[in-house]
Amino acid sequence: MLVSMKAVLDLADAKKIAVGAFNITSLEGIQAVLGAAEELGQPVILQFAPVHESVIPLKVIGPVMVMMAEKSSVPVCVHLDHGDKLEILQEALEMGFTSVMYDGSVLPFEENAANTKIAVEMAGNWGASVEAEIGAMGRQEFSSVGEGEEGEAVESCYTDPEQARAFTALTGIDALACSFGTVHGLYLTTPKLDFDRIHRIRESIGIPIVMHGGSGVSDEDFKKCIANGVRKINYYTYLAKAGGMYVKEKCADAGEYVFFHDVTQWAVQAMKEDVLHTIKVFSHLE
Ligand code: 13P
């Protein structure tokens, strides 16, 4: 069933777990994520990031995400990830998305807060939820490995708990994406997360914290983040890698021909395995 982000985060808060938010770039991705969530009976978030517009446009995949969420046996939120323009938030809301992220993290505090406030009003008209961000996660979203020092999270960009409190009070958002040591994409060195900062931010804002850049974080670190107040975890790169690497292996073993319908099935199978493990870790099932 299609529900708001607030609804799934309330469920997560009650159980002190985190909900996995998986970026969608194909129908196979939706099948893998919903297949895993339904097998485990856990709520989940399907999200689309505009950076993937060239892979598959929002206009094409968005309505499919909403339709599949409506038909699902578990609570599913359909969320717009990293919307940096209010127009794209409006487009997603009109399509039936139940949550949007306004990402004004590169803007000065006041401008980010003012735009986020507008996003909250817009989403309110649709009964949808809003995530926003302060602090910077480092590295352009979803870029690949091999980008040198830029892959490191820069501590001076970490979210400040006091600023987070002021921002949350000003805007009325439902969840806040914070910077505490994760980056998007593949890590070049082991991430060092500031768990105490997560705790202090959560104490100061009183709403769920969102972790971006979930790929490459250890199961143990995920659990520590959740214990300190993270309730939504964004995860994509490792999901795509799991599907791609399995397809690579199967193609290498295949005979003369490879059929595309087999490729899509291999990808769903491997991505579903990855999501099953991830949801289990986020939900204290393993
Ligand atoms: P990863 O691709 O590093 O898992 O990050 C996903 C993300 O944070 C989407 O906003």
Side-chain angles (χ1 to χ4, degrees):
M1 73 218 72
L2 180 63
V3 300
S4 69
M5 179 173 68
K6 183 165 180 353
V8 289
L9 293 185
D10 283 349
L11 289 172
D13 236 357
K15 291 192 187 158
K16 303 220 176 324
I17 61 170
V19 180
F22 301 94
N23 289 83
I24 297 301
T25 54
S26 64
L27 179 59
E28 288 71 26
I30 305 177
Q31 290 174 307
V33 173
L34 292 185
E38 285 167 3
E39 192 169 314
L40 297 170
Q42 293 295 324
V44 77
I45 300 173
L46 298 177
Q47 60 185 16
F48 178 83
V51 70
H52 287 136
E53 189 67 26
S54 60
V55 179
I56 190 156
L58 173 63
K59 275 187 180 52
V60 175
I61 199 73
V64 183
M65 290 163 71
V66 172
M67 184 267 288
M68 301 273 282
E70 279 166 348
K71 288 192 192 323
S72 178
S73 60
V74 292
V76 184
C77 160
V78 178
H79 172 80
L80 181 82
D81 187 29
H82 291 291
D84 59 353
K85 296 200 174 51
L86 293 169
E87 293 73 30
I88 188 160
L89 269 63
Q90 181 68 22
E91 194 182 335
L93 290 166
E94 282 172 8
M95 220 172 253
F97 277 42
T98 52
S99 177
V100 286
M101 174 186 189
Y102 175 70
D103 182 358
S105 57
V106 295
L107 301 174
F109 179 91
E110 285 73 22
E111 206 177 330
N112 184 6
N115 289 350
T116 302
K117 224 173 147 191
I118 299 173
V120 170
E121 277 163 27
M122 279 167 54
N125 295 330
W126 301 86
S129 318
V130 176
E131 171 186 337
E133 173 175 334
I134 55 168
M137 236 70 76
R139 197 197 279 185
Q140 172 70 29
E141 273 78 45
F142 317 113
S143 48
S144 307
V145 74
E147 288 173 46
E149 332 59 87
E150 278 192 64
E152 310 277 331
V154 184
E155 208 169 325
S156 61
C157 298
Y158 284 9
T159 305
D160 170 57
E162 252 322 290
Q163 222 181 36
R165 191 195 52 72
F167 187 84
T168 306
L170 267 173
T171 56
I173 48 169
D174 299 288
L176 183 67
C178 298
S179 172
F180 47 83
T182 56
V183 294
H184 294 100
L186 293 171
Y187 287 95
L188 305 176
T189 54
T190 310
K192 285 193 192 63
L193 308 187
D194 187 343
F195 302 108
D196 180 56
R197 183 178 299 264
I198 302 174
H199 183 76
R200 285 186 290 123
I201 298 172
R202 175 65 202 229
E203 290 285 290
S204 118
I205 64 177
I207 59 166
I209 293 176
V210 181
M211 174 203 276
H212 282 243
S215 298
V217 172
S218 69
D219 292 354
E220 196 190 325
D221 280 359
F222 276 136
K223 288 177 184 170
K224 285 192 202 157
C225 291
I226 296 166
N228 282 292
V230 166
R231 294 287 171 261
K232 171 177 183 267
I233 301 180
N234 286 13
Y235 184 95
Y236 175 67
T237 303
Y238 269 32
L239 171 71
K241 180 159 83 80
M245 295 308 281
Y246 189 59
V247 167
K248 183 177 175 189
E249 201 182 304
K250 295 295 272 186
C251 286
D253 291 346
E256 191 179 356
Y257 300 111
V258 174
F259 295 98
F260 187 67
H261 56 250
D262 289 328
V263 171
T264 60
Q265 289 312 297
W266 294 330
V268 172
Q269 193 186 328
M271 290 193 289
K272 185 178 166 193
E273 284 302 318
D274 192 57
V275 178
L276 277 171
H277 173 75
T278 308
I279 294 182
K280 282 183 192 164
V281 172
F282 295 174
S283 318
H284 308 315
L285 297 173
E286 102 171 13

